[in-house]
Amino acid sequence: DRVANIGGYQENFERAIRFTRTCGFDLQQVIWRSGDFIDKQGNCITSALGSAGINDVSKSAGQCLKWSHYLAPYFEATMGCKVWPTIGQIWKDDNKVFSPSWLDLRRWANSGIQLQDFEGRQGMNLHSWLTLETGEIIEPSFLSTLASIYPKEYGDHNGGLLWGRDPGVLNRHRYFPMAVGREYLEQVSAKSICPLLATNLNELNNPLATIVATSF
């Protein structure tokens, strides 16, 4: 596999929607909107976080599923567009930082995340972020996760939040969407061995279910 073969983000996102449908979820195909909803200064992101009562993004470290699921409706309300929690792979150059397979994603929909998914790892082999119907990406947790694991190298980025369009969200990284939607995440969480999602701020800030990768 080579990162050059990943293809375009919007095409991959449409494939992710079709895959999620085959897992039993009723998703409408996306109708892409032109332009950018996120201003260069990220003021709308600040507003969305404020409406969610969040003033410390650093607590998202290792909590990508929880934070993307929790934040999606607040970003939708603030920006006036559809926002989907998105699960998939992240590549750095030709190396997969997170590398779930299609079989993994289907298994999680059927039986949740179990002990076998943590074997030989510090945490889960997946990543989650937000996709807007413009194709823009919001990345709420990756910088804080890096900072928590590698404080000397990335400590200055703790509490940072990224946004943009693949492949320009994070230098030398590519986002590959595979499964889409809050309903998918809710079913996975309901069938898993540990709580993965939050219904309030206390649960959001509780680092009970830590989902991190072992190498960056």
Side-chain angles (χ1 to χ4, degrees):
D1 291 349
R2 292 180 57 83
V3 72
N5 299 327
I6 286 180
Y9 187 85
Q10 293 187 1
E11 177 185 356
N12 291 331
F13 189 84
E14 291 169 6
R15 183 185 300 115
I17 286 181
R18 293 194 296 270
F19 169 79
T20 310
R21 286 177 181 166
T22 70
C23 294
F25 299 91
D26 185 19
L27 286 173
Q28 298 295 316
Q29 190 55 267
V30 59
I31 300 175
W32 298 108
R33 296 173 66 171
S34 60
D36 292 342
F37 273 91
I38 307 174
D39 55 285
K40 291 183 179 180
Q41 290 74 33
N43 293 321
C44 56
I45 290 178
T46 302
S47 296
L49 292 174
S51 67
I54 294 169
N55 54 25
D56 185 4
V57 178
S58 69
K59 294 181 179 179
S60 68
Q63 305 286 314
C64 61
L65 289 177
K66 186 186 290 188
W67 277 65
S68 62
H69 175 271
Y70 190 86
L71 288 175
Y74 292 99
F75 280 110
E76 281 194 343
T78 298
M79 297 183 179
C81 70
K82 291 185 179 297
V83 178
W84 295 272
T86 309
I87 297 177
Q89 300 174 350
I90 288 188
W91 294 58
K92 183 179 181 181
D93 297 326
D94 284 330
N95 301 310
K96 295 178 183 177
V97 179
F98 299 90
S99 56
S101 68
W102 298 107
L103 289 176
D104 289 332
L105 290 157
R106 191 177 300 280
R107 174 168 53 83
W108 293 333
N110 291 332
S111 56
I113 291 168
Q114 305 300 327
L115 281 176
Q116 69 188 76
D117 296 301
F118 294 90
E119 292 176 358
R121 294 186 61 87
Q122 249 182 299
M124 271 290 299
N125 181 26
L126 62 82
H127 191 56
S128 181
W129 59 92
L130 296 170
T131 302
L132 279 62
E133 62 181 323
T134 54
E136 294 166 282
I137 290 171
I138 299 174
E139 169 55 86
S141 65
F142 197 29
L143 287 181
S144 294
T145 300
L146 284 172
S148 69
I149 299 174
Y150 305 111
K152 289 185 179 179
E153 296 88 343
Y154 298 100
D156 290 344
H157 299 293
N158 195 31
L161 190 148
L162 298 167
W163 65 88
R165 295 179 180 274
D166 180 77
V169 179
L170 181 61
N171 185 38
R172 296 170 56 197
H173 287 72
R174 292 292 310 274
Y175 284 73
F176 182 70
M178 299 173 74
V180 176
R182 298 181 82 237
E183 292 79 8
Y184 176 90
L185 291 184
E186 288 163 6
Q187 179 161 307
V188 171
S189 180
K191 297 184 177 185
S192 295
I193 61 168
C194 57
L196 300 175
L197 305 181
T199 59
N200 56 58
L201 282 174
N202 286 334
E203 293 175 354
L204 183 70
N205 294 321
N206 179 3
L208 181 59
T210 301
I211 312 299
V212 299
T214 56
S215 62
F216 297 88

